[in-house]
Amino acid sequence: MKDNADTHAIDLLMVGPLIPEIIAYLEGKYRLHKWWTIEDKETFLREHGATVRGIVTSGRFGATKTLIDSLPALEVINSFGVGYDPIDIDAAHARNVVVTNTPGVLDDCVADTALALILGVSRRIAEADRFVRAGRWPNESFGLGRKIGGKRCGIVGLGNIGRQIAARAEAFGMDIAYYNRRARTDVPAHYRYCEDVVSLARESDYLVLALPGGSATRHIVNAEVLKALGQDGYLINVARGSVVDEAALVQALQAGEIAGAGLDVFEHEPKTPEALWSMDNVVLLPHIASGTHETRKAMADLVLKNLDGWFATREVVTQVV
């Protein structure tokens, strides 16, 4: 791609550390400022804020209204990840700032992780690993797990990732039901649509969360939903931590109101509730659903394509609506 301007004169602000390949590329092509390394941020904004034209961030680091408003020359925010709820979209739109993310390229790996969590909690994979490593196998028998074939998989959010999860779950012999803002007409007719999350939870053995974060979905899974899921039901979350009332989840697990959980995301990550650490019926992952070499490279390529495209032609590939 040929640039219409000298990109080395363009100031970018990276909010938090991203993968080394992105950092190296941006340092070689733009004038990159690393927000997390700047001790005196007020002085930086006073001296350089007026020249920053782009923000590079992720679904973890986001971009606040305060930061957006402090950069008068800001044109574009490029996010590494599909989730963009930590970015103040209203503030960006008010300033006519373009926001991009990286949808599509991580669907397969996130769906794979959802299935890994379903299998992990059902067949007690992590627990069995700990059992062997502790040297208990020669003297004890390990308990039984649960078969997932024939069970009901309820998916909250049947978007691109949700449909990939459904396809994988169905391949394992699971029945599919879902909740969406509206019923889909482009999915198999035997996928059952539920009008609300409580109804879906009541019909599910596994309630899998694959919906966006943000204020509209905050705590959509609450105590009522968990109670509807019931003592034989499992909660699987590969969406955003904010969509689950974490305190209610801990309480439901402690009281035995649900059978277990597989969690890749948390409400206050990287902090996780200590009460979950000792629970054998819970599998905890450090937000790694998209964490493969192949997917992270594809995400990085899309971030850079959006960024270079904007400064070359004022066009991006994946603009957030």
Side-chain angles (χ1 to χ4, degrees):
M1 179 182 294
K2 294 182 178 180
D3 297 329
N4 294 336
D6 180 10
T7 57
H8 291 91
I10 295 175
D11 285 273
L12 301 179
L13 183 65
M14 182 177 287
V15 181
L18 301 181
I19 62 175
E21 291 82 357
I22 290 181
I23 294 176
Y25 180 91
L26 295 180
E27 286 181 330
K29 189 167 184 178
Y30 297 90
R31 191 155 52 208
L32 183 66
H33 305 278
K34 301 173 182 176
W35 185 245
W36 72 98
T37 69
I38 299 170
E39 294 185 6
D40 189 344
K41 290 178 169 52
E42 289 186 4
T43 298
F44 170 83
L45 291 173
R46 186 167 56 250
E47 295 178 354
H48 302 285
T51 62
V52 172
R53 295 172 59 187
I55 286 177
V56 183
T57 187
S58 72
R60 176 182 176 185
F61 303 115
T64 65
K65 183 179 188 304
T66 300
L67 180 60
I68 292 169
D69 289 344
S70 67
L71 305 173
L74 185 64
E75 302 170 20
V76 65
I77 300 173
N78 297 272
S79 185
F80 179 79
V82 67
Y84 51 85
D85 44 295
I87 299 172
D88 194 318
I89 298 297
D90 292 338
H93 286 174
R95 291 272 313 281
N96 292 319
V97 173
V98 170
V99 180
T100 73
N101 64 343
T102 60
V105 296
L106 45 69
D107 297 352
D108 285 342
C109 284
V110 175
D112 289 347
T113 302
L115 261 293
L117 286 170
I118 291 174
L119 287 165
V121 296
S122 302
R123 299 304 304 273
R124 303 169 63 184
I125 301 298
E127 183 185 355
D129 177 79
R130 292 191 294 270
F131 177 85
V132 173
R133 291 175 187 272
R136 295 169 58 189
W137 192 12
N139 303 310
E140 302 176 51
S141 296
F142 188 74
L144 301 178
R146 298 191 184 189
K147 176 184 177 181
I148 67 171
K151 298 296 194 304
R152 301 166 299 178
C153 179
I155 301 171
V156 184
L158 204 67
N160 292 337
I161 293 173
R163 283 183 288 177
Q164 293 286 350
I165 294 170
R168 286 158 173 75
E170 195 168 22
F172 276 83
M174 303 184 80
D175 295 325
I176 307 300
Y178 71 98
Y179 165 76
N180 221 42
R181 285 178 293 180
R182 61 187 65 87
R184 300 198 67 127
T185 59
D186 57 349
V187 297
H190 59 271
Y191 286 13
R192 299 189 311 281
Y193 175 69
C194 293
E195 296 286 345
D196 55 71
V197 180
V198 173
S199 299
L200 178 63
R202 194 173 293 119
E203 291 191 21
S204 300
D205 297 301
Y206 298 84
L207 188 67
V208 184
L209 310 181
L211 69 164
S215 58
T217 60
R218 183 177 182 274
H219 289 186
I220 194 171
V221 174
N222 53 24
E224 182 184 10
V225 172
L226 295 168
K227 189 173 183 63
L229 183 57
Q231 295 180 350
D232 294 325
Y234 294 88
L235 180 72
I236 307 296
N237 191 4
V238 291
R240 307 295 286 185
S242 61
V243 304
V244 175
D245 182 339
E246 205 162 79
L249 174 60
V250 170
Q251 184 175 355
L253 287 162
Q254 289 174 330
E257 293 179 353
I258 65 173
L263 309 171
D264 182 53
V265 291
F266 301 87
E267 192 167 5
H268 306 292
E269 61 186 51
K271 294 182 180 179
T272 57
E274 291 187 24
L276 300 180
W277 296 357
S278 60
M279 294 183 183
D280 282 332
N281 59 336
V282 180
V283 175
L284 308 172
L285 302 181
H287 202 152
I288 59 168
S290 65
T292 65
H293 293 291
E294 297 85 354
T295 290
R296 291 293 170 83
K297 182 182 186 306
M299 291 166 64
D301 289 346
L302 188 48
V303 167
L304 299 176
K305 190 172 184 179
N306 278 322
L307 189 67
D308 289 344
W310 176 256
F311 288 115
T313 65
R314 293 298 186 269
E315 293 181 357
V316 296
V317 182
T318 53
Q319 182 171 347
V320 174
V321 177

